[in-house]
């Protein structure tokens, strides 16, 4: 029996997570896999109820479960709060509290959705790459940081820092994922300018010696950005630091043209993970039953694959999504002329139907 903590969060979070729960219930009913679900609070919803975007109770629940499924956090209602009370703080807090250092963001372009990309379909059709981003270190957390007065004017400072152990563990993550995929890792840095990146490159070379079946190449981040839009299918696994990964993974996501389709995982060293769609809480469409739930449903597939060791069940979900797309069903965000446009709830029902057929 695996215990899953459900954190719907804010905005469309509740609507899309409800569809993922339908999928989990269907898997429970039709397979031996027992997944028990527990509800928790995070983000604005948590602030409204407890005064904190990440209540202690949520951390306690998280530490007592096998995996977390998160919807999204944030929204205009909480934007004027002081920084450490904002919903997004809850997200950063839980990642760092659970040491979820390895962020996996696949960018997959389903052939059925090739029209959704802003690039020519021959460049992106069939794209399947994985970005492995270091999530709890680097310039987002390095000290010193802040804004101070220096030489009579305001002076801002952030520090890009990595211990070799932090680089090595994300390196191992990337190589192990590549072993299950196309066996190629491209490490992205800026070693021509930044000393911390020189160390990054050296450590990646050292880690690669443990994985003789995987090839390693290096790119500077500016070239990597260019290559991602020029010839994205050259990549299998990209491993990079927190800041570069933040930017490149959004760029890769946009190659697929459909933010509502992309799941993600954030793992610790024991493959304990938090799974969530890459998009935010989409306040503009919240409560209208039009949000695309597929990124969240595909996050359940990632959870089964990376944390719960249930590859067969993960594949079942992936196949159900393909079946539904093949039949021409689309939520509004991925629909083109001639498609059958369905709402959030109907899309969830269609995936369950495909799973059970
Ligand atoms: P967003 O991802 O919420 O929305 C961007 C655009 O994509 C919007 O037009 C939205 O309608 C659309 N969209 C997003 N998800 C969709 C889905 N599943 N189906 C259909 N369309 C979808 O980004 P934003 O508007 O910049 O941010 C809104 C709020 O979400 C902010 O408070 C932000 O801080 C927060 N946010 C949270 C996360 C997270 O929880 N991981 C990530 C990004 C942004």
């Amino acid at each position: 029996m695996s215990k899953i903590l459900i954190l719907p969060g804010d905005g469309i979070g509740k609507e899309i997570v409800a569809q993922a729960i339908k999928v989990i219930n269907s898997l429970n009913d039709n397979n031996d896999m027992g997944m028990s679900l527990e509800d928790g609070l995070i983000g604005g919803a948590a602030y409204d109820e407890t005064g904190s975007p990440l209540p202690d109770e949520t951390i306690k629940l998280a530490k007592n479960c096998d995996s977390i499924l998160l919807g999204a956090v944030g929204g205009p209602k909480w934007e004027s709060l002081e920084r450490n009370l904002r919903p997004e703080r809850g997200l950063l807090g839980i990642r760092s509290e659970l040491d979820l250092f390895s962020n996996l963001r696949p960018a997959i372009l389903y052939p059925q959705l090739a029209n959704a990309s802003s690039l020519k379909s021959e460049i992106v059709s069939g794209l399947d790459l994985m970005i492995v981003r270091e999530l709890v270190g680097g310039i987002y957390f390095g000290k010193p940081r802040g804004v101070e007065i220096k030489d009579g004017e305001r002076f801002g400072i952030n520090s890009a820092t990595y211990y070799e152990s932090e680089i090595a563990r994300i390196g191992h993550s990337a190589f192990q994922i590549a072993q299950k995929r196309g066996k190629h890792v491209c490490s992205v840095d800026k070693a021509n300018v930044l000393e911390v990146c020189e160390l990054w490159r050296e450590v990646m070379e050292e880690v690669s010696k443990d994985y003789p079946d995987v090839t390693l190449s290096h790119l500077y981040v500016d070239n990597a950005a260019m290559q991602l839009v020029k010839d994205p299918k050259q990549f299998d696994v990209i491993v990079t630091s927190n800041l570069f990964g933040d930017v490149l993974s959004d760029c890769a996501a946009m190659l697929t043209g459909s933010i509502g389709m992309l799941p993600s995982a954030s793992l610790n060293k024991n493959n304990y993970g938090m799974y969530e769609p890459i998009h935010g809480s989409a306040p503009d469409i919240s409560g209208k039953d039009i949000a695309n739930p597929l990124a969240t449903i595909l996050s359940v597939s990632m959870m089964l694959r990376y944390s719960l060791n249930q590859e067969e069940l993960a594949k079942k979900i992936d196949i159900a999504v393909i079946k539904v797309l093949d039949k021409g069903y689309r939520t509004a965000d991925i629909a083109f002329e001639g498609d059958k446009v369905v709402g959030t709830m109907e899309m969830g029902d269609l995936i369950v139907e495909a799973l059970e057929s």
Side-chain angles (χ1 to χ4, degrees):
M1 175 73 82
S2 304
K3 217 194 275 179
I4 319 289
L5 176 62
I6 305 284
L7 300 175
D10 309 315
I12 61 168
K14 289 184 182 60
E15 302 165 54
I16 52 179
V17 162
Q19 310 317 308
I21 291 175
K22 284 182 193 166
V23 168
I24 293 174
N25 288 339
S26 160
L27 291 177
N28 269 340
D29 290 346
N30 296 293
N31 301 278
D32 286 338
M33 170 85 202
M35 288 185 266
S36 75
L37 307 182
E38 245 176 286
D39 277 333
L41 288 168
I42 195 165
Y47 173 80
D48 286 349
E49 210 155 295
T50 69
S52 159
L54 181 61
D56 291 344
E57 176 62 15
T58 300
I59 296 172
K60 206 165 115 197
L61 286 171
K63 287 185 173 164
N64 272 315
C65 71
D66 298 296
S67 275
I68 303 173
L69 180 68
L70 177 104
V73 299
K77 183 178 173 194
W78 303 283
E79 267 165 19
S80 54
L81 288 174
E82 67 176 79
R83 192 167 287 277
N84 67 345
L85 294 176
R86 287 192 203 151
E88 293 76 7
R89 280 282 136 179
L91 202 53
L92 293 178
I94 199 165
R95 285 173 182 163
S96 112
E97 186 70 38
L98 301 171
D99 203 19
L100 305 175
F101 67 90
S102 176
N103 182 220
L104 316 187
R105 289 202 17 185
I108 295 171
L109 183 57
Y110 294 89
Q112 298 91 334
L113 303 180
N115 283 344
S117 176
S118 51
L119 296 190
K120 290 190 196 112
S121 77
E122 65 267 26
I123 292 180
V124 285
S125 183
L127 175 74
D128 179 0
L129 70 87
M130 176 74 86
I131 297 198
V132 180
R133 166 189 170 196
E134 200 290 322
L135 200 60
V136 295
I139 197 164
Y140 288 6
F141 292 90
K143 289 193 177 116
R145 62 187 301 155
V147 178
E148 58 195 61
I149 301 293
K150 194 172 170 185
D151 303 327
E153 58 179 324
R154 281 176 297 168
F155 174 74
I157 180 164
N158 286 98
S159 308
T161 61
Y162 273 118
Y163 285 99
E164 61 176 314
S165 55
E166 292 176 298
I167 304 170
R169 65 181 186 172
I170 193 72
H172 284 291
S173 232
F175 278 93
Q176 284 161 19
I177 286 159
Q179 280 182 318
K180 296 186 191 151
R181 296 176 41 104
K183 300 190 167 38
H184 181 76
V185 170
C186 176
S187 169
V188 172
D189 60 44
K190 191 71 183 165
N192 50 342
V193 180
L194 301 173
E195 287 79 357
V196 64
C197 290
E198 265 176 50
L199 176 66
W200 178 279
R201 199 173 269 225
E202 255 175 59
V203 174
M204 282 299 158
E205 283 293 338
E206 288 158 19
V207 169
S208 77
K209 296 198 171 73
D210 289 349
Y211 304 90
D213 53 333
V214 178
T215 55
L216 170 66
S217 61
H218 303 274
L219 276 183
Y220 297 134
V221 62
D222 38 356
N223 190 10
M226 214 161 67
Q227 296 300 326
L228 263 180
V229 283
K230 185 172 164 234
D231 178 19
K233 285 196 264 184
Q234 70 182 280
F235 295 110
D236 175 27
V237 174
I238 292 176
V239 63
T240 192
S241 60
N242 204 343
L243 172 62
F244 298 157
D246 194 358
V247 178
L248 290 182
S249 58
D250 268 19
C251 175
M254 274 302 101
L255 296 175
T256 73
S258 48
I259 198 172
M261 294 293 300
L262 298 175
S264 76
S266 307
L267 305 177
N268 76 5
K269 65 178 187 325
N270 303 317
N271 285 337
Y272 171 97
M274 183 163 84
Y275 295 82
E276 55 182 310
I278 66 155
H279 58 74
S281 58
D284 53 331
I285 58 168
S286 167
K288 296 184 178 160
D289 191 39
I290 56 174
N292 186 344
L294 293 177
T296 317
I297 289 171
L298 289 165
S299 299
V300 177
S301 157
M302 284 192 89
M303 178 191 292
L304 289 162
R305 179 168 288 125
Y306 291 106
S307 285
L308 306 182
N309 263 323
Q310 296 283 344
E311 177 64 28
E312 286 309 307
L313 294 185
K315 273 196 195 130
K316 276 192 179 183
I317 296 181
D318 297 347
I319 291 169
V321 169
I322 291 169
K323 275 192 202 163
V324 170
L325 293 177
D326 271 343
K327 286 185 185 157
Y329 293 109
R330 308 276 190 273
T331 43
D333 57 308
I334 50 170
F336 285 87
E337 227 179 288
D339 290 332
K340 300 171 203 159
V341 180
V342 297
T344 311
M345 290 191 271
E346 192 175 350
M347 184 54 96
D349 293 339
L350 285 163
I351 300 295
V352 168
E353 210 178 287
L355 265 178
E356 293 176 359
S357 66

